[in-house]
Structures are given as C-alpha cells and as structure tokens.
Amino acid sequence: MFVLTGCLDDPPDPKQIFGFRDATDSDLSAEVEEAIDVANAALELDGRFVLRPMWRPGRPQQALQQVPVYLLRRPNAAIDAGTATPDMLRAFRAELARTVSLSGFGNCAETDPCAAAMYAGTQMGRAATEVYNGSTAMDAAAAEINCRCVMLIEDNLRQFKLIFGPSDQYGQAFAPLSGYVAWLALHEAGHLNRTFRLVPGAPWAELYRRTQSGLAERQQEEMRADAYAASLLGRACFAQVPQRLHAIAAQACYGLTMQAAQLWLYEAFDKTDGGLRRHYLNDGRTHPNVLMRLLAANVVMMDGRGKSAELLTKFLEKREVVAQRLPKSPNL
C-alpha cells in the first residue's frame, strides 16, 4: 500500500498511471471493506479524514477530507524469490515441529555466531519481511502523481494472509488481514495529518526516543505516521470511548500485536548474519526496521502497558549487540 502526497481537485487515476487493474472482484474484497470500516471508525476520533473506497456507491462526506482507496491488481504479477508459497509454509511448520535444543549450544546467545549453526535459516523470515517492504516500495514514485489516496495491491495482501494468517494453536487467523489493512490505512492517514506529533508517556518516553536514534528524516516520518495510527487504535480500544468503537477496533488492535509476534517467530529461525541483519537492522532501507516499527507501535497503542515496553527494550538491546558484531548498517 502506498500514500500519494499532494492534492488535486480531480486526482489522477493510479490505474492508468501505473498500469494496475481493478481488483474489486477479488475474494479479499470483503475483508478489505471490513478493514476500511474499522479504520474509519478509528478516524472518527481525529475528525479530519474519511477513507472512501472508490468502488462503493454513495456521496462523499463533504465535512471531512476524502482519502480515496483503490483495490488493485498487478498485471501478470511474477513470482520472485521473496514470495512465500504454501510449500514454504509447510516446510517451516515441519522445521518448527522438530526443533529441539541441541547439545553443545547451551551457552550460545541468539546474537552469537554459533547460533547460525543451530538455525541456518528459512525462507519464511525473508518472505514475511518482504510483505511490509512491498507495501512501501513505491512511496517515492507514487508521490510523483500528486494525489492523496491509498492503493491496496491484491497480491501483497494475499501474501500477508498466507504468511501471517495461519495459526494451529488458536484455530483462527493469527493476524487477521482486516487488521493489517486497517493499520496500513491509518498509517497513510498519518502522513496526511502533518500537525500530529507524538507526546510519549513519561514511563516510556526515553525508550521510544531510542527508536529514533540515527534515523533519516524519511524514516522518522514513517515512525510519526506509525505513531498516529497506533495512538488512534489505542484510544479506540482502551480509552473511554463508545462501546461500539471498542467492538469495531478490537481485532485491529489484536492484529497489530500479533503481527509483531508472528514476524518475530519467523525470523527466530534465521540466525545467519543476513537473517540477524534483516531482523534487527535497517540495512539501508528507506523505512525503519519492520519489527522495531511494530514493537514501537505496540508501545504507543498500549501506552507502555503489559509487556509492550519490555519487548521493545529487549529488541533494542539485541539490536545494539548485532550492530557491534556485524558490519555497520548505513541507516542504523
């Protein structure tokens, strides 16, 4: 998904510019519409924006800034090396089932080189991270068409559902697709709200500031938009708001937490230098480290409650260890 900055009275059609096709006939459309309803319910707390699915009939709400949403399909989308498949997921589950503590590695920490001998790596960690990279890869190019809108790309959403959806333990979607889409839509609305500034709660203010260390301006903007989305979800789920809003937003709040948990699980089975770099460092990406973003967003959403601050603290500590051991990442 991409945010397109700028504003025109008659915004250009991204399908024509990028060659995408309409995907409103997708079997994912019901979940996407549910996500938009969730995001719009949370956006009521800000009172500035409303997401407008371009395939739905009806008149726009004139009092709010309209954010057009498109559900699109790439023509002849190719399967690349980073794309997950059902076979990859089955292989990962088999590896997970047979994993045991090996003798001789009792004193081997996760960030030590010896860990790579235990967990030589799976393809699932890279594929999971690429879901998020795919949702942001064309930000710069999309901005050139000067239109404030959201583009949801069908194959990227399908990858998320394949990778993050299954859960043998709970018998339901581990991280629901609707929660992922709602989170991304709120993130993009955060880019449009240029006046939003996060004021961290006192107990976790310094912890959150550590996530900003060394980030470029573009990366700080991504964290700002994350914080906007997380703060709205936190208010919708945990503040004194109408019970209707609690009920609507609950799955999106749950999904945000589960995304971080599932991404950590996949990455836990790759302790190679490449896996550790992807798991903990920015590694030259235009956006901050994916897991750090999700953990930091959880701290904002939870206002530091529960284990949210503890998990982010542990991540940042290991991140510093990895940065010292591996060649320095240019954007750490």
Side-chain angles (χ1 to χ4, degrees):
M1 187 172 82
F2 326 109
V3 63
L4 314 180
T5 58
C7 184
L8 295 175
D9 292 335
D10 187 15
D13 187 342
K15 297 192 295 294
Q16 297 178 2
I17 295 176
F18 294 108
F20 292 130
R21 297 173 181 171
D22 185 271
T24 52
D25 61 344
S26 171
D27 59 333
L28 303 179
S29 59
E31 291 168 278
V32 169
E33 294 210 7
E34 177 187 353
I36 293 172
D37 290 341
V38 170
N40 274 334
L43 285 169
E44 290 177 14
L45 297 173
D46 185 23
R48 301 189 186 197
F49 308 105
V50 62
L51 300 168
R52 181 189 174 196
M54 297 306 287
W55 60 92
R56 275 187 190 172
R59 299 178 62 181
Q61 300 179 39
Q62 299 298 329
L64 300 174
Q65 181 175 330
Q66 307 295 306
V67 182
V69 180
Y70 298 89
L71 180 57
L72 302 171
R73 179 178 295 132
R74 288 190 179 97
N76 304 317
I79 302 296
D80 60 30
T83 301
T85 65
D87 287 343
M88 286 170 56
L89 185 59
R90 282 191 287 269
F92 174 81
R93 285 177 162 180
E95 180 176 352
L96 185 65
R98 66 171 176 263
T99 297
V100 294
S101 298
L102 303 179
S103 61
F105 292 98
N107 296 320
C108 183
E110 176 190 10
T111 53
D112 291 341
C114 55
M118 297 175 65
Y119 302 114
T122 69
Q123 299 180 71
M124 289 303 297
R126 182 162 61 95
T129 302
E130 283 304 313
V131 168
Y132 293 91
N133 292 336
S135 72
T136 57
M138 291 185 63
D139 273 359
E144 295 178 3
I145 72 170
N146 199 33
C147 171
R148 297 187 179 206
C149 64
V150 172
M151 296 196 297
L152 299 171
I153 310 302
E154 181 190 38
D155 59 320
N156 194 59
L157 301 184
R158 202 173 295 284
Q159 278 285 286
F160 178 90
K161 191 169 183 177
L162 172 66
I163 296 171
F164 290 88
S167 173
D168 290 333
Q169 180 177 0
Y170 297 106
Q172 60 185 5
F174 197 84
L177 177 63
S178 59
Y180 172 66
V181 173
W183 160 251
L184 290 178
L186 291 171
H187 168 91
E188 302 305 350
H191 282 304
L192 301 181
N193 186 344
R194 305 301 302 175
T195 63
F196 173 80
R197 293 294 181 273
L198 176 68
V199 180
W204 51 273
E206 181 56 34
L207 173 63
Y208 191 85
R209 278 193 286 270
R210 288 174 61 190
T211 68
Q212 308 296 295
S213 176
L215 296 186
E217 183 177 356
R218 167 79 179 274
Q219 294 172 323
Q220 291 177 357
E221 167 59 19
E222 296 302 320
M223 294 287 286
R224 190 190 68 81
D226 284 349
Y228 173 84
S231 64
L232 285 182
L233 286 178
R235 290 170 61 191
C237 289
F238 307 111
Q240 295 296 321
V241 297
Q243 183 60 37
R244 173 189 65 86
L245 188 50
H246 281 301
I248 292 175
Q251 191 175 66
C253 294
Y254 166 82
L256 179 58
T257 300
M258 290 300 100
Q259 286 175 57
Q262 191 78 328
L263 181 58
W264 179 89
L265 176 64
Y266 285 134
E267 293 284 22
F269 285 81
D270 189 348
K271 303 306 181 190
T272 61
D273 285 358
L276 289 173
R277 180 183 294 280
R278 182 181 61 244
H279 193 47
Y280 288 107
L281 307 183
N282 294 320
D283 202 23
R285 297 282 186 179
T286 58
H287 289 63
N289 175 275
V290 175
L291 185 54
M292 183 179 75
R293 289 178 61 191
L294 291 173
L295 291 173
N298 269 285
V299 170
V300 175
M301 181 179 73
M302 299 296 297
D303 194 22
R305 294 186 298 269
K307 291 190 175 182
S308 61
E310 177 186 345
L311 292 173
L312 180 57
T313 298
K314 290 181 177 179
F315 173 87
L316 293 175
E317 290 172 349
K318 290 183 179 180
R319 173 180 167 89
E320 292 170 358
V321 173
V322 172
Q324 292 174 4
R325 184 168 76 79
L326 299 180
K328 189 173 182 180
S329 176
N331 286 321
L332 179 68

